[in-house]
Amino acid sequence: MSTNPDRKLYLGPRLRMLRRELGLNQTEMAEELGVSPSYLNHLERNQRPLTAQMLLRLASTYDVDLRSFTAAANEAASSDLHEIFADALVRDIGVPRQEVLEVAENYPAIAEAIGRFYRALSDLRDVPKRVESAGAMGTKVSSAVAWLRDWLYARRNYFHEIDMEAEALSEVLGDHADARREGMIQRLKERYDISVRIVTQDQMPDANRHYDAHRRRLMLAESLPPHDRLFGLAERLAATEMRRVLAAALDAAQAPDAEAALLTKRFLANYAAAAIIMPYGKFQSSAEGSLYDMDLLMARFGVSYEQAAHRLTTLDRQGARGVPLFLLKLDASGNVAKRYGSETIPLARFGGGCPRWRIHRALRRMGETIVDHVEMPDEAAYLTWARALPQPHGREPVVIVLGCEARHASRIALGAQSATVTPIGPACHLCERADCMDRSLPPITRALDFHQMRQSRAPYPFRST
């Protein structure tokens, strides 16, 4: 691509992305730049080039780095696109290099969308190999979510440097949830000139919280319950005051691609927010002292059930470890939406659950804690407990499952409930319990064994070898 300084710059998509990042509509941005909304619309649609004067206005109004904003091409994106268009599926089209560069430079969102579709296609191509080794902890999965899950498992879901800095910060904010809330609002305003506003649904119809970097304003939806407002404040304070330790953790993660990096960055910010609200030492001692009483932890720290449950999976500080717990978040269909924990989770890695597991009854008994002692086919035993939680805005409820190896049950008050052990397995297609009457699929590891003269009680009889 030519680097002629006299060439016209058509950077509409980048301008539109900047406006959206700032949380502005076209009328608001046009007013701040001193142009008409129709002119800004032409700029965003590449019907007019960006003049030098307009670039200078952008730089002075929004503190934009002009060098990066007007870079000749997104080299990483163009490199990815070249690789995608070299795939055997589309190689015969012969997409010219110039067109690839133009898409990467002028339409970065389209380039990212093409990349995501290609990664999804690559995942589908890998399905046969995944099924062959399904359930093996060493299986490599290319999606960002799976990569993050593996990375957190390797780290035992604990980040010492983040926890230590968050704990020190929490000490100066106050001793309880109300004090921390006021302390965070005051610290954001006095140290960083960030104001906090509660806004109506009309003002922010499609988001729960939004940080306007240009006006240095954190907006929280009026519909948010107190614990989510508290978390929103903590996340903004962490992103502002703890940015160095968060950036160091992100660099150390060495995420394989941009999508995984974004997901990891978001996770680390949420981790830091939770560590501010629930400082390690106080939270760990409260958990141990109360025998992991969830309702007490919620009340003491001003958090939701799910927030407290997440925090319990991070208690891995040397000399002050909590019970090594795993967490599962199930949707209304029983699909695993999230999984965290430093210990092995008694479920198939690629989704699905056992119909025998009593935790599924939680949806029929909203708000009640369902306890179940379970045993896997390999005789590994666990204590599990689950609670269904209603969701806002008409969404279906979710189930939060916590569990640990049975040897830790004496440290948890719920461990004394229900001594009956339920034999369960991973997803049906991976479970080899021959006597299970509840399975919906035969195991992929065994051949079916139907007989014309005899009908088995099990729905899918299979050979043992």
Side-chain angles (χ1 to χ4, degrees):
M1 176 172 288
S2 172
T3 57
N4 184 348
D6 296 326
R7 73 181 178 92
K8 295 181 179 180
L9 293 174
Y10 291 91
L11 301 172
R14 295 187 186 183
L15 180 61
R16 183 166 57 250
M17 289 175 65
L18 172 64
R19 176 173 60 77
R20 289 174 177 172
E21 288 173 357
L22 294 170
L24 302 174
N25 59 38
Q26 284 188 337
T27 301
E28 291 169 336
M29 176 174 263
E31 181 179 347
E32 293 179 355
L33 291 174
V35 299
S36 68
S38 61
Y39 179 68
L40 181 61
N41 184 50
H42 285 314
L43 292 176
E44 289 193 358
R45 295 169 63 185
N46 275 348
Q47 293 177 345
R48 295 276 186 90
L50 261 75
T51 63
Q53 183 181 13
M54 182 57 64
L55 286 171
L56 290 174
R57 287 187 189 179
L58 285 170
S60 61
T61 306
Y62 301 118
D63 193 25
V64 171
D65 182 351
L66 291 183
R67 179 173 296 181
S68 61
F69 191 78
T70 60
N74 186 325
E75 295 180 359
S78 64
S79 176
D80 290 344
L81 288 178
H82 281 303
E83 179 181 348
I84 291 169
F85 291 132
D87 189 273
L89 187 65
V90 294
R91 189 185 305 145
D92 62 304
I93 298 175
V95 180
R97 179 180 180 81
Q98 181 66 24
E99 291 185 19
V100 173
L101 290 173
E102 288 178 1
V103 170
E105 175 176 333
N106 293 315
Y107 303 98
I110 291 178
E112 175 62 16
I114 293 172
R116 292 188 186 184
F117 278 124
Y118 187 71
R119 286 193 292 272
L121 175 62
S122 299
D123 285 349
L124 288 173
R125 287 170 169 172
D126 286 343
V127 164
K129 289 186 291 185
R130 292 183 187 177
V131 171
E132 265 185 52
S133 56
M137 290 309 296
T139 302
K140 299 298 182 186
V141 184
S142 60
S143 74
V145 174
W147 177 87
L148 178 61
R149 183 182 62 210
D150 290 344
W151 180 63
L152 292 176
Y153 184 87
R155 289 291 308 254
R156 296 181 63 85
N157 203 22
Y158 175 67
F159 297 86
H160 183 71
E161 294 79 9
I162 294 176
D163 253 308
M164 294 298 291
E165 188 165 327
E167 193 168 23
L169 177 56
S170 183
E171 285 295 320
V172 303
L173 294 175
D175 292 331
H176 53 83
D178 290 338
R180 290 193 188 103
R181 180 181 293 106
E182 295 305 314
M184 286 189 285
I185 293 174
Q186 183 177 355
R187 196 174 184 90
L188 284 169
K189 184 61 179 176
E190 293 181 354
R191 290 202 169 203
Y192 307 105
D193 194 30
I194 296 174
S195 60
V196 179
R197 288 183 55 190
I198 307 300
V199 300
T200 65
Q201 186 172 349
D202 293 338
Q203 294 173 289
M204 198 166 61
D206 57 351
N208 289 324
R209 66 177 185 258
H210 172 71
Y211 177 57
D212 184 340
H214 176 53
R215 295 181 176 85
R216 305 190 70 77
R217 179 187 302 164
L218 173 62
M219 294 175 284
L220 303 173
E222 63 179 352
S223 58
L224 283 177
H227 55 76
D228 283 336
R229 292 185 188 179
L230 185 67
F231 198 89
L233 287 168
E235 191 276 337
R236 176 44 41 196
L237 182 60
T240 305
E241 185 152 337
M242 299 176 59
R243 59 186 180 277
R244 290 185 179 84
V245 69
L246 292 175
L250 181 61
D251 288 344
Q254 297 183 330
D257 53 45
E259 187 176 12
L262 285 173
L263 194 63
T264 305
K265 183 177 182 180
R266 179 182 177 184
F267 171 85
L268 291 172
N270 288 339
Y271 184 102
I276 292 172
I277 298 170
M278 296 168 275
Y280 193 103
K282 293 179 180 178
F283 190 79
Q284 189 267 348
S285 62
S286 293
E288 289 285 326
S290 67
L291 298 181
Y292 291 77
D293 184 327
M294 294 296 294
D295 294 307
L296 183 144
L297 294 174
M298 292 163 59
R300 182 169 294 176
F301 293 92
V303 296
S304 69
Y305 188 96
E306 184 173 352
Q307 288 167 350
H310 272 277
R311 187 58 171 149
L312 286 174
T313 68
T314 69
L315 302 182
D316 197 51
R317 179 181 293 178
Q318 187 173 359
R321 288 190 170 94
V323 172
L325 298 175
F326 61 79
L327 178 148
L328 299 170
K329 182 177 181 178
L330 310 180
D331 64 19
S333 299
N335 298 313
V336 179
K338 290 182 182 178
R339 60 176 70 214
Y340 293 110
S342 58
E343 296 296 312
T344 303
I345 298 172
L347 263 185
R349 184 183 177 92
F350 301 117
C354 180
R356 289 181 168 184
W357 202 359
R358 292 174 184 166
I359 61 166
H360 299 295
R361 301 177 186 178
L363 283 170
R364 302 194 298 270
R365 294 150 71 173
M366 189 69 60
E368 183 179 343
T369 300
I370 306 299
V371 182
D372 198 9
H373 296 257
V374 299
E375 184 179 83
M376 299 296 289
D378 63 359
E379 298 185 350
Y382 301 88
L383 166 68
T384 65
W385 63 98
R387 185 181 295 187
L389 306 174
Q391 300 296 292
H393 311 302
R395 290 158 49 201
E396 293 297 318
V398 299
V399 176
I400 300 297
V401 184
L402 285 167
C404 63
E405 293 183 6
R407 60 192 176 93
H408 300 296
S410 61
R411 295 170 62 184
I412 298 171
L414 294 174
Q417 295 185 21
S418 176
T420 303
V421 176
T422 305
I424 68 169
C428 289
H429 66 286
L430 297 175
C431 181
E432 297 186 356
R433 287 192 181 276
D435 59 345
C436 180
M437 307 299 171
D438 300 305
R439 67 167 56 252
S440 58
L441 291 170
I444 61 175
T445 54
R446 293 285 183 262
L448 289 173
D449 191 24
F450 287 113
H451 293 270
Q452 292 184 350
M453 307 301 293
R454 177 171 58 88
Q455 182 178 5
S456 170
R457 291 181 180 178
Y460 293 99
F462 52 87
R463 298 174 188 172
S464 59
T465 58

